[in-house]
Amino acid sequence: MTLRLASLLEVAEQFDAIVLDQWGVLHDGTVPYAGSIECLAQLKAAGCTLAVLSNSGKRAAANMKRIADMGFARSLFDVVMTSGEALWQDIRQGRVAERCFFPIERAPGDAEAWADGLDVALTDTVETAKAILLMGLPDNAIDASFASTFDAALSLGMPVLCTNPDRASPRADGRIVVSPGALAHAHATRGGDVRFYGKPHLPVFQSLEAALGVSAAQLLMVGDSLEHDVAGGHGAGWSTAFVEGGLHAMRFQDNDPTRVLAVLVADAAAPTPDFAIPRLK
């Protein structure tokens, strides 16, 4: 049964660390959600260890800068972990064989910045690559625009390294945009070789556990995605808190939140979150 909260402070003392998703929880991609900075400041003042776990194709430092530029003090967060960071570390430590990538990025230069410090090459033709690096999509992306790229990957048997498993992401004014995970899952359905980094897959949760030095039973995952945050946290043995005001905000508007959550959980075939909260406060 899900316990509805008015504030995370109601349960914060039950956990050694609170881990927060980024988009849909802290901000909408442009500005912080109302009250989110104040909430984190209160949690920190109460002695909470705070971390960010984001399905972002960019590295951890780039995401920390993004958050800081929106007004979140760097001192609020003990650790920032991203799926892009997880892949970068795997390549550096020799756990990924491919070294030449065809990048799909949200903005020009994202892949080049991500690859800094690695002995890898980026190419602008699929045929000369050894893998596709699917790290981001422009907000106005249309799936069909990438059809030829994924057709080529399928015919060549080329792996797709997806560092953002999210299928959709919230933006300002309630907009929802297509995210890389939608393309990656469609490609996998066609028989393509897709390797996912990030939530809900267990390794990124285990990496953050190790970085925090906190056992799974003492961690709370706070997110707005049942598929990624809640399912992933549950699978890692963490407690979970679902934020209604992010990805599914329109579903909860002027509707019974208990009933809406039950429908969303059933539709996603996801575990029921331990807690639910309208927004970060």
Side-chain angles (χ1 to χ4, degrees), residues 11-222:
V11 296
E13 65 179 13
Q14 300 178 25
F15 303 98
D16 288 347
I18 296 176
V19 180
L20 304 126
D21 179 37
Q22 190 180 169
W23 274 270
V25 174
L26 299 181
H27 60 76
D28 63 9
T30 304
V31 297
Y33 286 116
S36 58
I37 294 176
E38 293 80 2
C39 173
L40 296 189
Q42 291 172 353
L43 289 169
K44 200 67 177 177
C48 294
T49 294
L50 301 176
V52 172
L53 180 56
S54 176
N55 276 358
S56 168
K58 295 182 179 181
R59 293 196 62 196
N63 278 275
M64 184 65 256
K65 182 180 184 304
R66 184 203 304 269
I67 297 169
D69 287 347
M70 290 186 188
F72 294 90
R74 292 175 183 266
S75 58
L76 289 172
F77 306 104
D78 296 87
V79 178
V80 174
M81 174 67 69
T82 68
S83 44
E85 180 73 25
L87 174 59
W88 192 96
Q89 295 293 346
D90 267 8
I91 293 174
R92 189 187 66 155
Q93 294 168 22
R95 291 193 287 263
V96 175
E98 292 81 16
R99 286 294 185 273
C100 183
F101 304 110
F102 176 84
I104 299 176
E105 54 195 352
R106 184 179 181 194
D110 283 353
E112 185 176 359
W114 168 84
D116 184 44
L118 291 177
D119 182 19
V120 299
L122 302 175
T123 178
D124 57 4
T125 58
V126 179
E127 291 75 16
T128 58
K130 296 299 182 183
I132 291 176
L133 173 62
L134 177 55
M135 63 180 298
L137 296 176
D139 281 357
N140 59 352
I142 300 173
D143 292 11
S145 303
F146 303 95
S148 62
T149 297
F150 287 97
D151 285 346
L154 195 63
S155 65
L156 293 167
M158 180 183 300
V160 174
L161 308 182
C162 179
T163 56
N164 185 343
D166 290 352
R167 299 175 192 256
S169 183
R171 291 291 185 268
D173 303 321
R175 288 189 305 128
I176 302 296
V177 301
V178 176
S179 288
L183 274 63
H185 282 285
H187 186 63
T189 299
R190 297 175 64 200
D193 177 7
V194 180
R195 305 173 195 170
F196 288 101
Y197 280 79
K199 301 171 291 185
H201 305 282
L202 186 59
V204 75
F205 288 89
Q206 294 174 326
S207 293
L208 187 50
E209 277 180 33
L212 288 167
V214 176
S215 67
Q218 295 301 316
L219 285 162
L220 175 66
M221 179 74 228
V222 182

